[in-house]
Amino acid sequence: METLSYEIVINASLQRVWDILWNSETYAQWTQFFGSGSEMKSDWKVGGKTFFLNGEGEGMVSTIDSIDEPNQIIFKHLGMVDKEGHEDLNSKEVTDWSGSFEKYLLIDLDGKTKLHAEVQAEKRWEEHMNMGFTKGLEMVKNLAENQ
């Protein structure tokens, strides 16, 4: 497992960037680079359930490890979910990466926001993550500054 980091400075407030990241409409826009039709469903509770899904309704089941809106959120990935909503938390494929973290830290720079994203991923996903986060964070910047 590798920890990959990404950063961008956005000419917008912390709350504005937070809202762009997690609003369902804008979330689908900036995460399109990971896969079209991406959506996140969450109860927004520490220890609760968060689902990161593709256009077919399958993806990852996670939990919020900690949240301090609009400063940071840390997701802990638990397993996979299929189109029917069945969760896989115990297969060999899942246990290889279960417990990995995805972090978003927003830092105020005198009215601008430094957005720092960090994800733990297996080496085989590094190129996909690099492309998704590089293009995705540019989209967050564009949406926050121009929408």
Side-chain angles (χ1 to χ4, degrees), residues 1 78-79 88-99 122:
M1 197 78 65
L78 305 174
D88 172 7
L89 308 178
N90 300 308
S91 71
K92 171 72 173 128
E93 177 189 349
V94 164
T95 57
D96 285 347
W97 55 264
S98 181
E122 295 175 325

Side-chain angles (χ1 to χ4, degrees), residues 45-98:
K45 294 183 170 89
V46 171
K49 290 270 178 98
T50 298
F51 297 93
F52 296 96
L53 306 171
N54 64 19
E56 287 78 54
E58 54 192 359
M60 291 193 304
V61 59
S62 306
T63 190
I64 295 174
D65 192 65
S66 70
I67 185 170
D68 176 20
E69 180 181 343
N71 302 298
Q72 62 94 5
I73 189 165
I74 301 173
F75 298 100
K76 182 178 177 183
H77 300 307
L78 305 174
M80 301 296 292
V81 60
D82 65 21
K83 293 176 195 171
E84 289 77 41
H86 301 116
E87 297 177 18
D88 172 7
L89 308 178
N90 300 308
S91 71
K92 171 72 173 128
E93 177 189 349
V94 164
T95 57
D96 285 347
W97 55 264
S98 181

Side-chain angles (χ1 to χ4, degrees), residues 114-145:
K114 176 164 58 170
L115 172 56
H116 176 88
E118 224 172 81
V119 62
Q120 293 176 312
E122 295 175 325
K123 181 76 173 154
R124 64 189 173 109
W125 290 101
E126 183 173 359
E127 189 175 318
H128 179 72
M129 292 293 150
N130 286 342
M131 197 241 341
F133 275 104
T134 301
K135 290 183 175 186
L137 295 188
E138 279 295 332
M139 176 64 79
V140 170
K141 177 180 174 72
N142 183 46
L143 291 167
E145 292 179 352

